[in-house]
């Protein structure tokens, strides 16, 4: 079976707020030591797919640096391997990819020249472990033009997804992009298998720019579209709240996402760091600690990334701290997402007080009490920051911030 995988990793993802101010969503750190795209890349190689293209666009530098030549995923190959595919100017003045279909159309030459029979189009900003081979087997058995992977979701979350209706034979009969109301409980996972010839013909004759909102409803009405139901763990971490909840869910006694499975290793680009160090005053409860951490404070219900420093007397509760951040002595941090290389000054209180008002600038994203600190921000000593607060990347906070503010 000859397969080319194209991973969509170029979206701006504004629903992740300041976490994607300087990076693509797919490059966002996850679970302390990984990046979100690691899950899709690992799925590919664990499924025997070694011909991979990563389609980039928004703030691509950290994504490119992370992937490199693909060595951590055994994708540094002369035949196949991984390539990062960039947008580029065209003779008609184009160059900026306007949607998922448009992004793939820009690289039709790559698809046409590859000696493959099938093309998988994969979301690069979802967290899941999935063997793609059963889906491809079903795709071949049914002689489908397109096969969608689907996953059941709660009715109140249907508005976030493309919702799929399937008949008794597994054929897709209807597709609705992010409906307000729907009778279907099956969401498209952003995992598509195409016959190569069908995909090439489709992109030449249909100039739509987006798969979900424009192209898929028409494909369903004209082509043989099959559904593959996936019952394993899958999370679309495209909002700040979903990102936070997916990280914290790893702390369950038996988490739904097993990162310790030797039969399905999630690979990543790792740096040489020493073991985590716990000082004599450290207390750790139900948390994940990664390599290079130095903890002298109290950490509970939190994910602590590589190289994070937690000072003596500091208290971190129910928070996600990304790599190389420094939490100075005496800090109290509650219900927060702290990006990389942040410094929280001595004796600060972050995530302080009742939930209060939603964030004034992003009320739909931040209304549960979660406070988000952007990459490389600095908070000077002794300040108090409320809940539902956003601190922009690389900013310097030298004042108190009430709940709901954006700095």
């Amino acid at each position: 079976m000859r397969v080319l995988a194209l991973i969509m990793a170029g979206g701006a993802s504004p629903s992740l707020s300041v976490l994607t101010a300087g990076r693509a969503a797919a490059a966002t750190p996850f679970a302390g030591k990984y990046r979100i795209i690691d899950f899709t890349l690992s799925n590919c190689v664990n499924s025997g797919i070694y011909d991979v293209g990563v389609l980039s666009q928004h703030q691509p530098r950290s994504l490119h640096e992370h992937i490199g030549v693909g060595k951590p995923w055994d994708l540094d190959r002369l035949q196949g391997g991984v390539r990062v595919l960039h947008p580029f100017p065209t003779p008609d003045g184009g160059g900026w990819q306007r949607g998922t279909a448009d992004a793939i159309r820009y690289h039709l030459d790559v698809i046409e020249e590859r000696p493959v029979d099938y093309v998988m189009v994969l979301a690069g900003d979802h967290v899941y472990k999935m063997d793609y081979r059963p889906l491809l087997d079903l795709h071949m058995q049914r002689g489908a033009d397109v096969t969608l992977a689907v996953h059941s979701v709660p009715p109140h979350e249907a508005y976030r997804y493309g919702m799929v209706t399937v008949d008794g034979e597994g054929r897709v009969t209807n597709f609705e992009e992010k409906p307000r109301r729907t009778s279907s409980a099956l969401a498209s996972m952003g995992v598509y298998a195409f016959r190569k010839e069908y995909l090439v013909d489709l992109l030449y004759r249909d100039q739509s720019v987006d798969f979900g909102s424009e192209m898929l409803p028409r494909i369903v009405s004209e082509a043989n579209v099959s559904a593959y139901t996936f019952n394993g763990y899958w999370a679309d971490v495209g909002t700040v709240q979903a990102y936070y909840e997916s990280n914290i869910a790893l702390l369950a006694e038996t988490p739904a996402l097993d990162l310790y499975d030797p039969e399905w290793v999630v690979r990543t680009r790792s740096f040489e760091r020493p073991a985590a160090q716990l000082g004599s005053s450290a207390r750790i409860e139900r948390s994940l600690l990664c390599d290079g951490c130095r903890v002298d404070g109290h950490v509970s219900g939190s994910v602590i990334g590589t190289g994070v420093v937690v000072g003596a007397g500091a208290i971190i509760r129910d928070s996600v701290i990304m790599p190389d951040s420094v939490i100075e002595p005496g800090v109290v941090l509650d219900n927060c997402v702290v990006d990389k290389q942040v410094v929280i000054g001595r004796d600060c209180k972050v995530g302080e007080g009742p939930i209060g008002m939603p964030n004034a600038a992003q009320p739909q994203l931040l209304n549960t009490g979660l406070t988000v600190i952007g990459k490389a921000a600095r908070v000077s000593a002794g300040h108090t920051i409320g809940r539902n607060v956003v601190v922009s990347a690389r900013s310097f906070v030298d004042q108190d911030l009430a709940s709901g503010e954006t700095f």
Side-chain angles (χ1 to χ4, degrees), residues 247-261:
N247 273 277
I248 296 300
L250 297 171
L251 307 178
E253 186 173 340
T254 307
L257 177 64
D258 181 6
L259 296 176
Y260 300 90
D261 182 0

Side-chain angles (χ1 to χ4, degrees), residues 75-96:
L75 289 171
D76 53 334
R77 298 171 174 236
L78 293 177
Q79 299 296 322
V82 66
R83 289 155 293 167
V84 179
L85 303 175
H86 311 268
F88 55 87
T90 59
D92 60 359
W96 200 246

Side-chain angles (χ1 to χ4, degrees), residues 252-301:
E253 186 173 340
T254 307
L257 177 64
D258 181 6
L259 296 176
Y260 300 90
D261 182 0
E263 301 299 320
W264 198 270
V265 176
V266 179
R267 310 178 191 201
T268 189
R269 176 184 178 224
S270 295
F271 297 93
E272 296 299 330
R273 295 182 186 259
Q277 181 185 64
L278 305 183
S280 58
S281 61
R283 285 181 56 202
I284 311 297
E285 302 173 8
R286 197 175 55 84
S287 296
L288 289 180
L289 302 183
C290 293
D291 290 354
C293 290
R294 289 178 291 160
V295 180
D296 287 293
H298 178 192
V299 177
S300 64

Side-chain angles (χ1 to χ4, degrees), residues 186-204:
L186 295 176
S188 170
M189 295 172 55
V191 174
Y192 311 106
F194 290 88
R195 281 194 305 107
K196 173 183 170 178
E197 293 80 1
Y198 177 79
L199 178 62
V200 171
D201 176 68
L202 175 71
L203 292 172
Y204 274 121

Side-chain angles (χ1 to χ4, degrees), residues 76-150:
D76 53 334
R77 298 171 174 236
L78 293 177
Q79 299 296 322
V82 66
R83 289 155 293 167
V84 179
L85 303 175
H86 311 268
F88 55 87
T90 59
D92 60 359
W96 200 246
Q97 299 163 1
R98 298 163 292 169
T100 50
D102 201 37
I104 295 174
R105 188 179 294 109
Y106 268 73
H107 302 289
L108 264 174
D109 59 326
V110 175
I111 299 173
E112 290 180 301
E113 71 187 22
R114 302 306 298 161
V116 299
D117 305 303
Y118 304 99
V119 178
M120 294 203 71
V121 177
L122 308 169
D125 57 355
H126 295 172
V127 174
Y128 65 116
K129 298 192 304 181
M130 179 180 181
D131 189 341
Y132 298 132
R133 287 169 292 195
L135 181 151
L136 288 163
D137 289 342
L138 182 70
H139 181 70
M140 288 187 292
Q141 291 167 12
R142 292 180 174 172
D145 299 309
V146 188
T147 296
L148 315 181
V150 297

